[in-house]
Amino acid sequence: MSQRSHRAAPEHTHPDDVPVQTALAALADPVRIQLVRELAGAADWERTCGTFDVPVGKAALSHHFSVLRAAGLIEQRDAGPKRVNRLRRPEFDERFPGLLDLVLRDAGDAGDAEDAGDSGDDRRPGA
Amino acid sequence: MSQRSHRAAPEHTHPDDVPVQTALAALADPVRIQLVRELAGAADWERTCGTFDVPVGKAALSHHFSVLRAAGLIEQRDAGPKRVNRLRRPEFDERFPGLLDLVLRDAGDAGDAEDAGDSGDDRRPGA
DNA sequence: TAGACTGTTCAATCAATAGCGAACAGCCAG
DNA sequence: CTGGCTGTTCGCTATTGATTGAACAGTCTA
């Protein structure tokens, strides 16, 4: 018998079973983007749910984690009273190549501080 | 003289000025995904707004095009009474590498399994 | 066993957005 | 000039999703 925990394990969805639209919707939220970024900067199973620096209550936080799970972005495991998280980077990367990199690289700016190596596609309509 | 049109040109946003979140949100919609896909399968300036096979009225359609413009995904130009569209593939690709490919490749299915109910696919990490 | 701590669930609220119908504005053909 | 066509804007409704506070459940420590 499993003496691990009597608590229901969270429902996980594999990235393979996630439609693109769901993945995009999951990442199109500032709070969840922040969660993913902090998670990417930590080791697997290191961060517990309560240790993230996001401006929402724990109820909303729990909801966001649920969305991330359903999108195949994270995996959760119970560790005593806490719940530790892991970013499913390899699996998600295989299903949606480059997507995670985009979110992690673009840390909040809209691209104004890019390099000057502009390929110069500067066409304007109605010229 | 330029007899292009006396109509106000639509406001365009360059992909460089678009935050990731905006790009993701723009693509996280079934109607807009369909628009982008059809646009990708046609030549530049070939499709007019009314020629897309989407299940919405023209008012909603106009709104979706507005969102796509604001996300730097499309460019529009007036051609007589019609308005022709162009997918900003190279510019958008340079700003968000791989993102457009993801949406275009994943043509509506979630890999292999898509069901209408709750997927009892809770597999635990186990070991 | 009691208590503190962590996270989930519930009920309700609020904001954002998608949708439609109708009215409006520019463009071309007659 | 008039009418038909194309697309936008406006007013409105419905739906979705984010958020909170309170209550609940499970786990560890004292």
Side-chain angles (χ1 to χ4, degrees):
Chain A
M1 305 284 284
S2 56
Q3 71 291 22
R4 268 292 178 222
S5 103
H6 299 148
R7 197 139 120 234
E11 288 182 17
H12 285 93
T13 304
H14 283 263
D16 260 17
D17 298 330
V18 174
V20 203
Q21 192 190 321
T22 302
L24 295 176
L27 289 170
D29 180 280
V31 174
R32 290 194 286 266
I33 286 183
Q34 178 67 16
L35 293 178
V36 168
R37 283 194 183 129
E38 291 193 29
L39 217 39
D44 287 0
W45 314 120
E46 204 177 34
R47 303 288 298 269
T48 63
C49 293
T51 66
F52 290 83
D53 187 26
V54 285
V56 293
K58 58 179 182 176
L61 188 61
S62 184
H63 162 68
H64 285 302
F65 276 115
S66 172
V67 173
L68 290 178
R69 275 199 315 265
L73 271 159
I74 67 167
E75 197 175 349
Q76 292 186 315
R77 178 198 294 173
D78 286 335
K82 311 191 177 183
R83 183 162 280 187
V84 286
N85 301 274
R86 167 190 168 256
L87 186 63
R88 297 186 122 170
R89 205 155 183 180
E91 305 120 281
F92 196 85
D93 247 31
E94 187 171 346
R95 171 77 174 99
F96 303 110
L99 182 50
L100 212 38
D101 286 334
L102 276 179
V103 175
L104 295 178
R105 172 168 47 196
D106 218 86
D109 76 288
D112 56 284
E114 289 288 320
D115 63 309
D118 172 76
S119 270
D121 204 296
D122 205 80
R123 61 183 65 177
R124 290 278 187 184
Chain B
M1 54 185 84
S2 53
Q3 72 290 11
R4 264 297 171 221
S5 92
H6 300 147
R7 200 139 119 231
E11 288 180 17
H12 285 94
T13 305
H14 285 263
D16 260 16
D17 299 329
V18 174
V20 205
Q21 192 189 323
T22 301
L24 296 176
L27 290 170
D29 179 281
V31 174
R32 290 194 287 266
I33 287 183
Q34 179 67 16
L35 293 179
V36 168
R37 285 194 182 130
E38 290 195 28
L39 216 40
D44 287 0
W45 315 120
E46 204 177 34
R47 303 288 299 269
T48 64
C49 294
T51 66
F52 290 83
D53 187 26
V54 284
V56 293
K58 57 179 182 176
L61 188 59
S62 185
H63 162 69
H64 284 302
F65 276 116
S66 172
V67 173
L68 290 178
R69 275 198 316 264
L73 271 159
I74 66 167
E75 196 175 351
Q76 292 185 314
R77 177 198 294 173
D78 286 335
K82 310 190 176 182
R83 183 162 280 187
V84 287
N85 300 275
R86 166 189 168 257
L87 186 62
R88 295 186 125 172
R89 204 156 184 179
E91 307 119 280
F92 196 85
D93 247 32
E94 187 171 345
R95 171 77 175 99
F96 303 110
L99 182 51
L100 212 38
D101 286 335
L102 277 179
V103 175
L104 296 178
R105 172 168 48 194
D106 219 87
D109 74 289
D112 63 71
E114 50 91 23
D115 56 303
D118 175 65
S119 60
D121 139 276
D122 49 328
R123 61 190 80 169
R124 326 181 7 130

